[in-house]
Amino acid sequence: MIVDCGIYRNGHRTDGPSDFSDALDAARAAGDAFVWIGLHEPSEEEFTHVTDEFKLHPLAVEDALKAHQRPKLEVYDDSLFVVLKPVHYATDSDTVSSGELMLFLGDSFVVTVRHGDGTPIAELRKHLEEKPEMLRHGPTSVLYSIADEVVDHYLVVADELQNDLEELETVVFSPDGSGSGAGTASRIYNFKRQILEFRRATGPLAMPMLRLAGNGPFAAAVPFVDDAVRPFFRDVSDHLTRVNESVEGLDRLVSDILSAHLAQMGVRQNDDMRKISAWAAMAAVPTMIAGIYGMNFDHMPELHWVWSYPAVIAVMIVLEVLLYQQFKRRGWL
């Protein structure tokens, strides 16, 4: 559905035709104006009118309708197509979820298509309308403002994940060993999945931001981008680099934590096996002696001696005490 359609001239929103086709004609006739159309999860029928009017490329239209795209920047003859993935962090469940924002930029128009929850375009539009000096740069200002909002929120999510990682470290390396259970491994694995979901949004966006900033390869080939806004894209690119470095650090640390946790579990299992082996060895000595004297032979040493029973019991006790001391000294018990 079409959420909003506005005409912007000289940095300010102006009154104009309610039909976006007439609005585009009016913006192009003015020369210094552009149309901003916002859509939320449009159907194919709803998007067909926009496609025909703005001459959008069918491949980009297909991506915008189906969603589930990775962040990217594609250049077509009549428009520029950009995909962003806003990220939301749920503090109650410690999970990362992502939506999708598609932008079409062309001659005097920008079309935003939103899928799922994410950056609220209505609030961003209202905030941007309070900055006429930025809106004077045309559709590029919309692309920059949305990208800046999305990437700045990445920094917030990265900080939240860092806090979760510190809590996870405290649990895994707790002195009482409470973090060595199987539930901790599941928690570490789930945390690694959240980082992976976050990386899918931030990693592929690096090259598009470099191209928009004029720092990457083929940057000069990106049309519909106001050169005056490129320094702002460099700032967004710098923030994104910080986010990606933070994600890489989080991923390495959680992998190290998982390895340390598995090592702890291995050490604990070895300790358990040593204890079991020690008790089994201690049980084997009296079992062996009792087994010998239970064979019922007539000619056995001291078989009819009156002190045989207490002597055998005493030998068993002495041997058990010696074994216990030996195992205790080696740390097996």
Side-chain angles (χ1 to χ4, degrees):
M1 58 177 294
I2 297 179
V3 178
D4 197 358
C5 176
I7 300 178
Y8 297 86
R9 184 173 184 181
N10 195 27
H12 298 277
R13 183 163 183 163
T14 62
D15 295 330
S18 58
D19 181 77
F20 63 81
S21 178
D22 296 334
L24 179 61
D25 292 337
R28 286 176 173 171
D32 58 349
F34 71 94
V35 178
W36 180 1
I37 298 178
L39 301 98
H40 180 249
E41 297 182 356
S43 65
E44 185 174 354
E45 293 75 16
E46 292 172 335
F47 207 48
T48 298
H49 302 294
V50 178
T51 301
D52 294 340
E53 182 62 34
F54 294 98
K55 304 297 186 294
L56 305 180
H57 197 279
L59 292 177
V61 171
E62 181 181 359
D63 289 344
L65 288 173
K66 291 184 177 180
H68 303 293
Q69 304 295 315
R70 69 197 302 269
K72 61 182 177 178
L73 167 65
E74 294 181 348
V75 179
Y76 297 101
D77 293 337
D78 299 321
S79 63
L80 187 69
F81 180 58
V82 181
V83 178
L84 303 172
K85 293 182 75 69
V87 168
H88 174 69
Y89 179 80
T91 55
D92 54 342
S93 58
D94 295 337
T95 56
V96 175
S97 59
S98 61
E100 288 190 44
L101 268 173
M102 287 86 163
L103 295 94
F104 295 87
L105 274 76
D107 180 16
S108 302
F109 73 86
V110 56
V111 178
T112 57
V113 182
R114 183 164 63 94
H115 289 271
D117 298 329
T119 301
I121 297 298
E123 294 182 10
L124 192 146
R125 183 193 289 258
K126 182 178 179 181
H127 182 66
L128 186 58
E129 288 174 354
E130 298 173 356
K131 297 180 178 180
E133 68 282 357
M134 177 59 68
L135 275 174
R136 289 191 183 96
H137 295 293
T140 309
S141 63
V142 178
L143 174 58
Y144 158 71
S145 299
I146 293 177
D148 184 56
E149 180 71 19
V150 169
V151 172
D152 281 350
H153 194 66
Y154 286 167
L155 291 170
V156 176
V157 174
D159 290 339
E160 293 287 350
L161 290 174
Q162 182 65 42
N163 293 334
D164 286 348
L165 180 64
E166 292 174 358
E167 293 178 3
L168 196 58
E169 286 179 326
T170 302
V171 171
V172 172
F173 299 107
S174 58
D176 58 1
S178 59
S180 58
T184 305
S186 175
R187 184 176 175 183
I188 296 173
Y189 177 75
N190 180 67
F191 185 77
K192 195 170 182 65
R193 287 189 62 86
Q194 305 314 312
I195 295 176
L196 177 61
E197 180 69 22
F198 192 31
R199 173 181 281 177
R200 287 173 179 167
T202 65
L205 188 58
M207 184 55 69
M209 286 299 106
L210 286 175
R211 293 182 64 187
L212 291 170
N215 294 338
F218 313 112
V222 180
F224 310 112
V225 176
D226 191 334
D227 290 337
V229 186
R230 290 190 184 274
F232 294 96
F233 282 115
R234 295 191 188 106
D235 182 65
V236 176
S237 180
D238 289 342
H239 290 177
L240 183 61
T241 299
R242 286 174 51 196
V243 171
N244 284 325
E245 289 175 349
S246 178
V247 172
E248 289 293 333
L250 288 171
D251 188 60
R252 287 194 301 269
L253 283 174
V254 76
S255 296
D256 293 341
I257 290 175
L258 180 58
S259 298
H261 173 67
L262 294 177
Q264 283 181 339
M265 293 187 66
V267 170
R268 183 175 180 179
Q269 289 175 351
N270 288 337
D271 289 341
D272 293 340
M273 288 302 299
R274 284 199 299 265
K275 291 179 180 179
I276 293 172
S277 299
W279 286 112
M282 292 172 63
V285 172
T287 301
M288 179 188 67
I289 296 175
I292 292 174
Y293 279 88
M295 291 189 291
N296 298 322
F297 290 112
D298 289 332
H299 302 287
M300 293 183 66
E302 311 301 339
L303 185 60
H304 300 288
W305 185 39
V306 70
W307 295 104
S308 295
Y309 178 76
V312 169
I313 296 299
V315 169
M316 289 182 180
I317 293 174
V318 170
L319 291 176
E320 290 296 300
V321 171
L322 292 175
L323 286 173
Y324 180 83
Q325 291 177 345
Q326 186 67 17
F327 288 138
K328 192 72 173 178
R329 189 179 301 112
R330 292 178 177 270
W332 285 37
L333 292 174

